Amino acid sequence: MINANLKNSYAADERVLNNTYKQMFVYGMMIVLALFTFFANDYMILIASQMGILLIAVVGINILTGYTGLVSLGHGAFVAIGAYSVTIFANLAEGIIPAGVMPFFAMPFAVALAALIGVLVGLPSLRVKGLYLAVATLAANFIVIFLIEEDLFQPWTGGMVGLTTHAPNFFGWVLDTKREMFGMIAVIGFLALLAAQNLIRTRIGRAFIAIRDRDYSAEILGISLLRYKLTSFALSAAYCGLAGALLAYFFARILPEQFELTLSLNLVAALIIGGMGRSMGPVFGVIIVVLVPELIKVLFSSAVGGSASAAQFRAPLQEIAFGLLLVLFLLKEPLGINQIVDRILRAANRWPFARG
Amino acid sequence: MLNIENLHLSFGGIKALQGINFEAREGEITGVIGPNGAGKTSLFNVISGFYAPGQGRVSFGGRDITTMSPDKRAALGVARTFQNIALFRGMTVLDNIKLGGHTRLQTNVWQALRYFGAAQREELELRREIEERVIDFLEIDHIRKFPITMLPYGLQKRVELGRALAMRPKVLLLDEPVAGMNREETADMARFILDVQEQFGTTILLVEHDMHMVMDICSHIVVLNFGQQIASGTPAEVSKDPAVIEAYLGAAA
Amino acid sequence: MGQFVQFAINGVMAGAIYALIAVGIVSVYKATKVVNFAHGYLIMFGAYFYFTFSVIIPNQPWAPEWLLSWQPDWLVAQKADLPMFSPMGAVLDWVSNLPRIVLGLTGALIANAIVGRIIERVLMRPLMGQSVFAMIMVTVGLISIMSGTASLIWTADAANVPFLSPSAPVKFEAFGTTIFLLGTDLVNMVLALLMFAAIVAFVKFTKGGIAIRATAEDQSTAYSMGISVPKVFSRAWVLASTTGAIAGAILATRNGISPSLGLFGFSVLAIVLMGGLDSYVGVLIAAMTVGVLEAMTQWKLGGSWAEIVPYVAVLIVLIWRPHGLMGQKEVERI
């Protein structure tokens, strides 16, 4: 199975899908996704949509943590900012901007606002590293959620009761079914993944990795730490903001508690499980993080039936499983599923001449 | 080209550098030597902008760069390698070298996210230049796709030189380029350094312990001891200087 | 002014408890360079253990009666003569609760020490020498595991845990207003500060403490000098979990027990970073400052704003002093 990997131009060598297997896989996946959109049942659409939304956010975390090496435990806040600003913008601009083009204004606004606040939250990253940054972002998460819940802003944010988001309307086409919504999420998610991949094969992405690997050495090459760390923060916040906007559209109802610490930790856990600093890492991670709790739910209800007293054990079990999964990956395979997949592919590629 | 004037640096009570004065002349190789702890690496750190000197001036091409941040100095054309290799271990050889071209590229975030168009043109142009000017030149085309961690020490040093070359530097600071290398690797590296000077006319400032190599390739040598500059001159002058002999062999000799 | 004094005292009392919790985070950090994000959940376990040993077990049918409420003849005789709500009555109530308080505290200490040991042995030790990031993320995973486990074990609502000390009210006059305090809060504060001081003294002066500091300085050198680094690790975790048990018992009597106790740990984490991770003095200052600031916020802006005080404070301090009030900056060699 050893394959020739011959190229005769630099352009061919710099492609994202630089061999036939990758091309076959990605184009194949696109066809599968298209078919899925039309033929999957409602339950599958729901799960897949959740994955898509989470994927966009995790791709953002990957830019920040995986590539730039800055740890954030507070990116749930940016998902919240995206979700709330897309809704509040639409509420305030109702009547001023026609409904048919509202998403074209509301979504960029949400993304831009998230990016802007991302820069603000990123400011401590210029002076503090690692752990201090993790706690600073965690603090920011608590503050943002608090402000959303606070009575003072209740007229806009709805406080603890949350808000209702109208379904997006593209020139009169209202995405009022989950299936249509999934189509939109899939397209945006794919583009977001591709854009992140583009980013890291250019000077910006290389600068991020340089800062992660050895920051003083990056400076010596003319990379301004200030600029690139803030850029990384802004980009990751923008991705999370986009995920938030889609989340608001998809669930049509947003509550502050959806965006608390649990979400932030979920995002980081998904990245670790999938593989940090690897392009497919977020994809693998999100699949696991969404599927495992669902699987437990299904297994659990088939094991104990519908009894209410047993049902109260389900949520704790899901929580424990999630924690165990994260810990197991950190102990056994810190490079995540991506590494496992790579190993298998490498072995398959060399077979039958060598193993491993 | 690169002028050091009356440079002083101290950490708390320790005087790391006291009154250093010399010039790295354009297109020449200047060597900085001295026993361990003489302040050679500190001098490099001041020149590349990691330490702010307590007193004195660093100027480059007539321009005062004493208070400039490291990344701005890099954009001006000051490149350096480190004593204990500072390559980016999570990247391939090619990506490491590409990083040398960072300041010359213009791609902004929007173009990078889209890639096709301006970003792609620029990336391909950079790739071509690096292949021709650095990878061929340093004879490392067989390892371009290797991750850094898979390379032996000598090749890592060469890649680090390559990364500095990709910056198209006007002055190149080499901190112990042949430390820990065997004879053959040392000879290779010395040849590459001379080639750089000849082909690109780069001004080179070199810290090294290997006396043979320093004497062979440098046209000018500065000797430091305990933070003080005890001699400077051509290799022949320096090797006869009594202060230098004392510093290296002790007073009794 | 009188109200100010009242709130300031409340703040100091809360600050002392913050300091006691923070000591666990700092000790583990000093020895192992790991910042335990799950420390709040360790405290929650302490609180639940205290509840288990001081309420659930004494209420079991097989438990002896004196365990639930100790009523020796002299106590009954004394009580009979007292008027309602007298301070002496509070003391006597406490005495009759004493058996289950002692059982509760001992049980919580031992059980939490075991939990700390297990965490160190199973999760942290295999990661020795790995990146700090991995170790921190393991403690993040631990958050989910512990919070899930707690809701599996303790399904009943926790209520009515006995106070650690007599809860007689203490009143005095200051600036024309009556300052009102609970005796038990005062005792809690003293207890917390004493434990804080004891731990600082332990780390400063005893051989075990010096081993912890040496390990903090340089793990591999400490190892090669004959210090058993794994032992230091487990000692630090046991220290953190036992102080956490006491803090948990105190918090259980103050705020009741609920899963949100775990979240409390995050505000203490903010305090620790504010003080500077490896400095006990800095952390004590930060804990007191945040305690008082919280009380003042509660007074002026209302209770809900108080909950973000630690987070706002830590952000301000980190921007102004990136390594906290008293933290050491790590020097990087190039």
Side-chain angles (χ1 to χ4, degrees), chain A residues 73 127-128 131-132 146 313 319, chain C residues 136 147 152 273 304 319 322:
Chain A
L73 297 180
R127 303 201 51 189
V128 300
L131 180 85
Y132 287 84
F146 172 80
F313 291 116
E319 220 178 343
Chain C
I136 290 173
S147 126
L152 274 189
L273 277 254
S304 69
I319 289 175

Side-chain angles (χ1 to χ4, degrees), chain B residues 42-61:
Chain B
S42 293
L43 175 67
F44 265 30
N45 283 338
V46 171
I47 298 175
S48 46
F50 289 122
Y51 298 158
Q55 195 186 323
R57 232 167 77 95
V58 181
S59 59
F60 173 63

Side-chain angles (χ1 to χ4, degrees), chain C residues 146-306:
Chain C
M146 291 183 81
S147 126
T149 312
S151 22
L152 274 189
I153 303 177
W154 291 285
T155 43
D157 283 333
N160 293 326
V161 286
F163 288 114
L164 298 186
S165 55
S167 65
V170 180
K171 279 185 227 169
F172 60 93
E173 291 280 321
F175 306 98
T177 9
T178 311
I179 308 288
F180 180 87
L181 303 169
L182 277 177
T184 187
D185 283 346
L186 279 175
V187 175
N188 286 345
M189 178 181 78
V190 173
L191 184 66
L193 290 178
L194 278 180
M195 284 196 62
F196 186 93
I199 287 163
V200 174
F202 167 78
V203 173
K204 276 250 145 70
F205 302 119
T206 66
K207 209 175 148 197
I210 291 168
I212 287 184
R213 276 156 55 208
T215 312
E217 206 68 46
D218 188 334
Q219 245 173 54
S220 32
T221 307
Y223 221 155
S224 63
M225 295 309 286
I227 292 170
S228 165
V229 174
K231 213 178 260 169
V232 169
F233 275 29
S234 73
R235 207 179 285 152
W237 273 90
V238 168
L239 189 69
S241 55
T242 46
T243 53
I246 305 280
I250 293 177
L251 284 176
T253 61
R254 269 172 71 100
N255 318 4
I257 309 176
S258 70
S260 66
L261 259 184
L263 290 177
F264 196 71
F266 294 114
S267 42
V268 179
L269 198 61
I271 288 170
V272 168
L273 277 254
M274 209 174 130
L277 258 187
D278 53 359
S279 157
Y280 285 115
V281 182
V283 165
L284 183 64
I285 296 172
M288 289 299 173
T289 315
V290 168
V292 172
L293 277 179
E294 259 184 1
M296 294 300 150
T297 317
Q298 198 166 19
W299 177 29
K300 290 292 178 194
L301 291 172
S304 69
W305 286 88

Side-chain angles (χ1 to χ4, degrees), chain A residues 65 71 73 123-124 127-129 131-140 142-143 146-147 149-150 152-153 215-216 261 265 268-269 272 276 312-313 316-317 319-320 322-324 326-327 330-331 334, chain C residues 29 35 37 122-123 126-127 133-134 136-138 140-145 147-149 151-152 155 263 266 269-270 273 276-277 304-305 307-308 311-312 314-315 318-320 322-324 332-334:
Chain A
T65 307
V71 182
L73 297 180
L123 278 177
R127 303 201 51 189
V128 300
K129 277 188 194 170
L131 180 85
Y132 287 84
L133 187 62
V135 174
T137 48
L138 186 111
F142 278 110
I143 294 171
F146 172 80
L147 290 179
E149 288 177 351
E150 173 56 35
L152 209 59
F153 306 104
D215 51 1
Y216 63 86
L261 193 65
L265 299 186
V268 180
I272 291 173
M276 286 198 300
Q312 64 172 330
F313 291 116
L317 277 180
E319 220 178 343
I320 295 173
F322 172 79
L324 280 180
L326 176 59
V327 167
L330 283 165
L331 291 179
Chain C
Y29 176 78
V35 173
F37 275 73
V122 176
L123 298 181
L127 280 170
F133 174 76
I136 290 173
M137 289 318 294
V138 165
V140 169
L142 197 57
I143 293 176
S144 298
I145 298 177
S147 126
T149 312
S151 22
L152 274 189
T155 43
L263 290 177
F266 294 114
L269 198 61
L273 277 254
L277 258 187
S304 69
W305 286 88
E307 67 187 67
I308 56 162
Y311 304 115
V312 176
V314 75
L315 283 182
L318 285 188
I319 289 175
W320 165 53
H323 293 269
E332 233 178 313
R333 263 194 72 85
I334 292 170

Side-chain angles (χ1 to χ4, degrees), chain B residues 1 27 60 75-79 167-172 201-204:
Chain B
M1 191 68 182
F60 173 63
L76 279 183
V78 181
M167 294 173 74
R168 292 194 200 148
K170 296 200 180 71
V171 59
L172 185 56
T202 313
T203 308
I204 293 171

